[in-house]
Amino acid sequence: MKVLLVEDDPKVASYIADSLLGEGHQCITVGDGAAGYREAVSQELDAVILDVMLPELDGFTVLEKLRDSGNHTPVLLLSAKSQVEDKVRGLRTGANDYLTKPFAFEELLARVEGLAGRNRDSDDKTLIKVGDLTLDLVNRKVMRGETEIDLQSKEFQLLECLLRHKGKVVTRSMLLEQVWNYHFDPQTNVIDVHISRLRQKVDKAFNVPLIETVRGTGYRIADDVA
């Protein structure tokens, strides 16, 4: 990926940039909103990581200017604020995702790679495959080998989210946001219930289980399933 990082805290910026580089990605780093906007409109980028509290222009303003200019590069907002109102404001302004500080780099990476992957998907890329599982985005159909699996709407969205991040841990907060559009944790067992139902349909009758629980974090589907 080629990522633009707009972050005015040198320690945070260095941590994110070094970690992205360590994963083999390119990272352009700037420290204020005005410079961030200039870079975003002048570069071909896979994603932008945009802090909210910035000098010159704040993150919300940068995001609004980008969207008003017709720039649709995926944007992950970073903020020390955890209030629901700030998350809603960012998403309504045009952010694709929102992450509250402090955060684990693994979660930031999974979110950014997910955004960049969706952005790179061409219109004719309608199938997602792992092992003998195929998810057809156009016809809303799921197959394991020659067996068609009937999924409810949320189960399909849940499986799609896991597959788009295949090989990466998908946290519970990511699932709540991307499948149920909850930008806070409502202390519900909705994820556990739907993962259980999904496993019954996708894994139980087959030799190789696909959905792995990462204790205390979330779930993962490996990208190297035989």
Side-chain angles (χ1 to χ4, degrees):
M1 297 184 300
K2 185 176 182 181
V3 179
L4 171 64
L5 171 62
V6 190
E7 168 61 66
D8 66 323
D9 185 321
K11 290 184 178 179
V12 174
S14 178
Y15 165 65
I16 295 173
D18 289 348
S19 299
L20 285 170
L21 291 170
E23 292 289 329
H25 303 300
Q26 300 178 58
C27 185
I28 302 164
T29 304
V30 296
D32 67 75
Y37 175 74
R38 289 194 299 270
E39 289 292 336
V41 296
S42 64
Q43 299 272 352
E44 288 291 333
L45 301 165
D46 292 300
V48 177
I49 302 172
L50 178 63
D51 191 31
V52 169
M53 302 300 292
L54 291 166
E56 301 293 335
L57 298 174
D58 64 50
F60 295 128
T61 302
V62 173
L63 180 58
E64 187 173 20
K65 285 170 64 67
L66 281 177
R67 296 309 187 231
D68 286 347
S69 72
N71 187 302
H72 299 293
T73 303
V75 173
L76 171 66
L77 277 182
L78 294 181
S79 177
K81 298 180 178 181
S82 60
Q83 288 89 344
V84 174
E85 310 88 75
D86 292 304
K87 296 183 180 182
V88 170
R89 179 184 175 188
L91 293 165
R92 284 179 174 169
T93 304
N96 301 86
D97 204 351
Y98 195 111
L99 188 59
T100 302
K101 299 176 182 179
F103 53 84
F105 173 73
E106 290 77 10
E107 178 164 4
L108 180 142
L109 180 64
R111 288 174 181 263
V112 173
E113 287 183 336
L115 294 178
R118 287 200 294 273
N119 191 48
R120 287 194 299 264
D121 284 346
S122 61
D123 292 338
D124 61 352
K125 186 177 180 183
T126 61
L127 302 178
I128 305 177
K129 297 182 180 181
V130 62
D132 63 348
L133 179 85
T134 302
L135 184 141
D136 183 336
L137 294 169
V138 171
N139 298 304
R140 309 295 285 181
K141 183 185 294 186
V142 177
M143 303 286 294
R144 277 207 74 169
E146 300 300 318
T147 303
E148 183 172 349
I149 299 171
D150 183 27
L151 297 183
Q152 299 298 315
S153 176
K154 287 299 183 187
E155 294 165 353
F156 188 95
Q157 292 177 52
L158 183 57
L159 181 60
E160 180 185 353
C161 184
L162 292 170
L163 286 170
R164 286 193 182 280
H165 296 85
K166 60 186 178 181
K168 304 290 183 181
V169 177
V170 183
T171 67
R172 294 175 63 85
S173 63
M174 290 170 69
L175 292 173
L176 283 169
E177 292 175 11
Q178 295 181 28
V179 178
W180 282 273
N181 202 30
Y182 291 163
H183 299 289
F184 61 98
D185 188 348
Q187 300 298 312
T188 175
N189 68 344
V190 64
I191 292 177
D192 305 302
V193 170
H194 280 78
I195 285 286
S196 177
R197 290 176 181 168
L198 188 60
R199 278 179 163 147
Q200 287 289 323
K201 296 179 179 182
V202 170
D203 280 349
K204 187 174 181 181
F206 302 92
N207 293 329
V208 179
L210 297 175
I211 303 170
E212 174 189 356
T213 299
V214 181
R215 189 171 299 277
T217 305
Y219 303 92
R220 173 172 54 207
I221 289 181
D223 62 358
D224 58 354
V225 179

